[in-house]
């Protein structure tokens, strides 16, 4: 034997630290030990307080142990839980982190291993197995301090859209449309620019990306007008206006969608309109659909239109809107491929619709 563990302790697993010459050893009742083969004989093992499971009980039976490549945390499947531990090199202490699985009483976890991308795979005996990912899917939180300092309000974002170069188009309650630089923590509001200050951009809940890089379409609340805004650095400019006041009957804009040809489809409280930027023309396509809640493009020139009272419509190149047998109150659509339409409803349902055979 190279080194005897502490009296009465049986080792269950051993992993080398990713940055040091020492090792981490799991035990059958004493938690995780640090094993330093370079230390004096009799001092090669260091013990630490036992971690606690999600029920608050001290847990010392380590089944499997692995160290992640992201933060260097030790992850241990215990007799009834998964715990994460961090070693403080200066104080020579191994402490449990705030990581917790959902509280559901005991659970029988088994092996934990690391794949070539650094994700941890945890096998379970009596529940579903699961994966823990790190930087790949980790959300980044932005406190928007410049917005709070500028407006004296806590950030209350109603809509946002990517503006490129780590900048975001935003619309905040009570202060309206703005441009935020996430890298340098700077903000500009529409009211800072004389060209925009006269526009009704104080209450905007609808924001859509333009096909022109960095630009955005915005629709003021309950208005029949849309504006395309552009930027130069943090300078905001008005690129074009779509005015629906000449339509008969008039209807507020509810949705926008700019297709691959650059045509702007506009959902309204009555149906759908089409704006051609080359001709600067706006015309009604159909005004019998009621409030339009979603617009998505399909293959071969097909447009899918969701409404909040009459369900899903398919519109072909001829401009004819054909109803489909679907739920009536649609909140959102997604068309990942031509033969499949995903539908979200206002009641919280999710449906898949097959155009080929009408199956729902």
């Amino acid at each position: 034997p190279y080194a005897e563990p502490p009296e009465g302790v049986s080792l269950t697993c051993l992993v080398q630290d990713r940055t040091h010459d020492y090792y981490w050893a799991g035990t059958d009742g004493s938690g995780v030990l640090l094993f330093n083969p370079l230390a004096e004989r009799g001092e090669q093992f260091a013990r630490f307080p036992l971690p606690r499971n999600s029920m608050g009980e001290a847990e010392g039976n380590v089944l499997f142990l692995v160290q992640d490549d992201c933060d260097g945390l030790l992850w241990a499947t215990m007799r009834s839980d998964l715990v994460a531990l961090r070693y403080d090199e200066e104080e020579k202490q191994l402490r449990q982190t705030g990581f917790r699985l959902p509280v559901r009483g005991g659970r029988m976890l088994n092996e934990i291993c690391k794949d070539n991308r650094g994700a941890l795979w945890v096998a379970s005996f009596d529940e579903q197995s699961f994966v823990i990912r790190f930087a790949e899917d980790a959300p980044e939180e932005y406190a928007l301090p410049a917005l709070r300092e500028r407006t004296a309000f806590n950030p209350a974002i109603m809509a946002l859209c990517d503006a490129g170069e780590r900048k975001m188009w935003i619309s905040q309650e009570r202060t309206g449309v703005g441009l935020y630089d996430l890298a340098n923590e700077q903000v500009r509001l529409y009211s800072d620019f004389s060209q925009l200050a006269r526009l009704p951009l104080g209450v905007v809940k609808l924001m859509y990306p333009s096909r022109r890089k960095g630009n955005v379409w915005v629709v003021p609340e309950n208005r029949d007008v849309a504006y395309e805004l552009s930027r130069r650095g943090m300078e905001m400019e008005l690129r074009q206006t779509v005015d629906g006041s000449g339509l008969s009957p008039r209807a507020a804009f509810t949705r926008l969608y700019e297709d691959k040809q650059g045509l702007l489809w506009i959902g309204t409280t009555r149906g759908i309109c089409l704006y051609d930027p080359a001709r600067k023309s706006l015309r009604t396509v159909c005004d019998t659909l009621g409030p339009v809640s979603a617009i998505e493009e399909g293959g071969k020139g097909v447009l899918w239109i969701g409404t909040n009272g009459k369900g899903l419509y398919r519109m072909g190149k001829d401009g004819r809107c054909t109803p489909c047998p679907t739920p009536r109150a649609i909140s959102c659509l997604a068309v990942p491929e031509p033969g499949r339409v995903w539908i979200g409803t206002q009641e919280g349902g999710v449906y898949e619709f097959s155009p080929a055979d009408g199956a729902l």
Side-chain angles (χ1 to χ4, degrees), residues 22-44:
Y22 49 69
Y23 294 77
W24 297 101
T27 71
D28 67 351
S30 300
V32 177
L33 310 183
L34 187 151
F35 168 54
N36 184 359
L38 304 180
E40 296 291 332
R41 184 168 293 274
E43 299 179 358
Q44 293 169 313

Side-chain angles (χ1 to χ4, degrees), residues 272-290:
I272 193 162
C273 302
L274 176 62
Y275 176 73
D276 186 339
R279 296 184 173 87
K280 303 293 183 183
S281 64
L282 177 66
R283 65 180 179 87
T284 299
V285 176
C286 181
D287 62 358
T288 60
L289 305 181

Side-chain angles (χ1 to χ4, degrees), residues 224 242-253 264-276 280-290 292 303 305 315 318-321:
D224 54 358
V242 180
D243 187 353
S245 61
L247 296 175
S248 181
R250 293 183 64 170
F253 293 173
L264 184 66
W265 297 90
I266 303 174
T268 73
T269 52
R270 299 182 64 91
I272 193 162
C273 302
L274 176 62
Y275 176 73
D276 186 339
K280 303 293 183 183
S281 64
L282 177 66
R283 65 180 179 87
T284 299
V285 176
C286 181
D287 62 358
T288 60
L289 305 181
V292 171
L303 205 67
I305 304 168
M315 189 175 73
D318 57 4
R320 296 182 58 185
C321 292

Side-chain angles (χ1 to χ4, degrees), residues 141-219:
E141 184 173 341
Y142 297 97
L144 307 180
L147 186 61
R148 183 184 292 107
E149 182 178 348
R150 167 69 189 272
T151 66
F153 297 133
N154 289 321
I157 305 301
M158 296 188 292
L160 52 81
C161 187
D162 185 19
E165 299 177 336
R166 287 181 62 80
K167 295 177 177 61
M168 296 292 295
W169 294 101
I170 62 172
S171 176
Q172 176 172 259
E173 186 82 37
R174 301 190 183 187
T175 54
V177 174
L179 191 61
Y180 199 98
D181 186 334
L182 297 169
N184 300 305
E185 300 295 353
Q186 297 176 349
V187 65
R188 301 293 300 277
L189 300 178
Y190 81 98
S191 54
D192 296 337
F193 305 94
S194 58
Q195 183 193 27
L196 303 180
R198 57 184 174 80
L199 301 179
L201 299 178
V203 183
V204 170
K205 296 181 181 178
L206 301 180
M207 234 178 218
Y208 300 91
S210 166
R211 290 198 176 272
R212 284 153 292 283
K213 186 176 181 181
N215 289 12
V216 65
W217 287 100
V218 299
V219 177

Side-chain angles (χ1 to χ4, degrees), residues 302-333:
V302 172
L303 205 67
W304 296 98
I305 304 168
T307 71
N308 65 10
K310 297 184 177 180
L312 179 70
Y313 283 82
R314 177 190 184 277
M315 189 175 73
K317 290 183 177 181
D318 57 4
R320 296 182 58 185
C321 292
T322 306
C324 303
T326 61
R328 299 175 67 85
I330 294 176
S331 58
C332 55
L333 295 175

